[in-house]
Amino acid sequence: MADVLTIYGDSISGNCHKVRFVAELMKIPYRWIETSVLKKETRTPEFLALNPAGQVPIVTLPDGRVLAQSNAIMLYLAEGSDLIPQDAYARAQVVQWLFWEQYSHETVIAVRRFHKHYLQKADADIDPTLLPRGEKVLGLMNDHLAQRRYFVGERLSLADIALVAYTRFGHEAGFDLAKWPHVQTWVQRIEANLGL
Amino acid sequence: MADVLTIYGDSISGNCHKVRFVAELMKIPYRWIETSVLKKETRTPEFLALNPAGQVPIVTLPDGRVLAQSNAIMLYLAEGSDLIPQDAYARAQVVQWLFWEQYSHETVIAVRRFHKHYLQKADADIDPTLLPRGEKVLGLMNDHLAQRRYFVGERLSLADIALVAYTRFGHEAGFDLAKWPHVQTWVQRIEANLGL
């Protein structure tokens, strides 16, 4: 058993990057165990014993306890830090964006990226609803960012980290971010915050 | 402007029920504004001004501030109560289940229920992946509940409330809960907790 945080993650997964970003911002020592979805390493008996849902990322704490779901892991690791606002309503807004990201954004942008960029499918073989849904998602973000530098409040929060994870790979999903200039500028800002 | 919490919700939506359940358990006074998805009342300019994502539930606080996303609203309303464990890891487990519910459960059980029960589609006209995915979701819950009375810890938490919201309508989605007896018993337990 490691005496530091262990992250089981796939290096091509934005969901897994989120956990790494927070660990690095928080200066939490960790080891990374590469766990490939494409190689079905999330479907082995050993992995399913850690997470019956068969999804990465997961973390194991130094005492062996497991936690799954990227945004839940971020909230756990970042508790008490500036990445989560102290004000109850601002905190709730961050959490609101985290749920919106998983329900409405990841299921479109990340899924289209996976089929187009990693499975190398032709556009005609990809769910045709993903393109207009992705444009709507990016349009909503662009409107929100028109007068704001960060998603909630005046500084980086988990909302930005969750949302940038796949937005920054929008081109791999077939979305030219130049069409959503506030999003494009914000991606550059958050990447600078994350030292990318 | 109301001097109490206002819930904009659709009475047929489990996501909206969650918010009502928590308000009632917490004895938070509220008014309910019926907002029908089928009647496209979530697509009016007035509603989109409150929530650009066009989704229910939302709440407006007595001062007019808005919050969206059912699970984010529950976490906000229930903060400091027994519905959220005080222990950091147990709390994180509740949050983990909330994200799993929105990503892996609602997108299958609630979606199939909507198409089958409300849009009255024939099974052949419903996404064929939803049936095996729903069986997998219910199987995972059944395994988790084999040795447990509640999803996290020894008492009712937001994890149970989020997960029961659509599981209790499993039959309307075409799933006979008798096939997953631990789930069936747990649904009855949580409904009793909620006074249903």
Side-chain angles (χ1 to χ4, degrees):
Chain A
M1 197 170 292
D3 61 355
V4 295
L5 184 76
T6 302
I7 305 173
Y8 291 77
D10 185 329
S11 294
I12 70 170
S13 155
N15 283 329
C16 298
H17 295 175
K18 294 175 192 173
V19 177
R20 185 161 57 78
F21 294 154
V22 170
E24 293 186 356
L25 285 169
M26 303 278 299
K27 304 193 192 307
I28 298 169
Y30 68 92
R31 60 169 186 158
W32 177 278
I33 297 185
E34 186 68 19
T35 308
S36 165
V37 174
L38 282 169
K39 292 181 188 164
K40 302 193 188 302
E41 291 171 351
T42 53
R43 289 291 180 274
T44 64
E46 293 76 16
F47 188 82
L48 292 171
L50 294 172
N51 183 13
Q55 297 161 333
V56 280
I58 60 168
V59 296
T60 56
L61 308 184
D63 64 9
R65 291 184 295 180
V66 183
L67 204 56
Q69 295 291 330
S70 58
N71 291 351
I73 296 168
M74 287 204 301
L75 282 164
Y76 177 76
L77 296 179
E79 186 62 53
S81 80
D82 289 344
L83 296 173
I84 304 174
Q86 290 191 1
D87 173 72
Y89 178 71
R91 179 189 177 104
Q93 286 182 302
V94 167
V95 175
Q96 170 193 303
W97 283 112
L98 296 185
F99 280 105
W100 183 79
E101 186 268 333
Q102 281 289 286
Y103 192 82
S104 298
H105 182 293
E106 201 267 7
T107 48
V108 176
I109 309 288
V111 169
R112 195 165 199 280
R113 172 181 179 247
F114 189 74
H115 287 274
K116 188 176 177 70
H117 190 72
Y118 289 102
L119 301 183
Q120 298 276 318
K121 288 187 186 173
D123 281 6
D125 297 327
I126 299 173
D127 176 355
T129 72
L130 293 177
L131 200 58
R133 285 163 64 200
E135 290 178 343
K136 197 172 161 190
V137 156
L138 292 164
L140 186 150
M141 291 173 68
N142 201 58
D143 290 346
H144 184 77
L145 291 166
Q147 308 289 338
R148 293 179 181 89
R149 291 169 53 81
Y150 296 99
F151 262 84
V152 177
E154 299 296 325
R155 56 160 296 143
L156 181 74
S157 78
L158 296 185
D160 301 293
I161 297 174
L163 285 163
V164 88
Y166 285 105
T167 305
R168 61 193 288 259
F169 297 126
H171 56 289
E172 295 180 355
F175 300 97
D176 178 3
L177 293 190
K179 288 176 68 179
W180 299 278
H182 301 303
V183 173
Q184 191 169 46
T185 307
W186 164 84
V187 166
Q188 292 161 356
R189 181 178 303 124
I190 305 308
E191 287 186 336
N193 272 271
L194 297 173
L196 300 172
Chain B
M1 196 169 294
D3 60 357
V4 295
L5 183 76
T6 302
I7 304 173
Y8 292 76
D10 185 327
S11 295
I12 69 170
S13 156
N15 283 328
C16 298
H17 295 176
K18 295 175 192 171
V19 177
R20 185 161 56 77
F21 293 154
V22 170
E24 292 186 357
L25 284 169
M26 304 276 302
K27 303 193 191 308
I28 298 169
Y30 68 91
R31 59 169 187 160
W32 176 277
I33 297 184
E34 185 68 20
T35 309
S36 166
V37 173
L38 282 168
K39 291 181 188 163
K40 300 192 188 304
E41 291 171 353
T42 53
R43 290 291 180 275
T44 64
E46 294 75 17
F47 187 83
L48 291 171
L50 293 172
N51 183 14
Q55 297 161 333
V56 279
I58 60 169
V59 295
T60 56
L61 308 183
D63 64 9
R65 292 184 296 180
V66 183
L67 203 56
Q69 294 291 329
S70 58
N71 290 351
I73 297 168
M74 287 203 300
L75 282 164
Y76 177 76
L77 295 180
E79 185 62 53
S81 81
D82 289 344
L83 296 173
I84 304 174
Q86 291 191 0
D87 173 72
Y89 178 71
R91 179 188 176 104
Q93 286 182 301
V94 167
V95 175
Q96 169 193 304
W97 283 112
L98 297 185
F99 280 105
W100 183 80
E101 185 268 334
Q102 282 290 285
Y103 191 81
S104 298
H105 183 293
E106 201 267 9
T107 48
V108 176
I109 310 288
V111 169
R112 194 165 199 278
R113 171 181 180 246
F114 190 74
H115 287 274
K116 188 176 176 71
H117 189 73
Y118 290 102
L119 300 183
Q120 298 276 316
K121 288 187 185 174
D123 281 4
D125 297 326
I126 299 174
D127 175 355
T129 71
L130 294 177
L131 201 57
R133 286 163 64 200
E135 289 177 345
K136 198 173 160 190
V137 157
L138 292 164
L140 187 151
M141 292 172 69
N142 201 59
D143 290 345
H144 184 77
L145 291 166
Q147 308 291 337
R148 292 180 181 88
R149 292 169 54 82
Y150 296 98
F151 261 84
V152 178
E154 299 296 325
R155 54 160 296 144
L156 182 74
S157 76
L158 295 186
D160 301 295
I161 297 174
L163 285 163
V164 88
Y166 286 105
T167 305
R168 62 193 287 260
F169 297 125
H171 56 288
E172 295 180 356
F175 300 97
D176 177 4
L177 292 190
K179 288 175 68 179
W180 299 276
H182 301 303
V183 173
Q184 192 170 45
T185 307
W186 164 84
V187 166
Q188 291 161 355
R189 181 178 303 124
I190 305 307
E191 287 184 337
N193 272 270
L194 297 174
L196 299 172

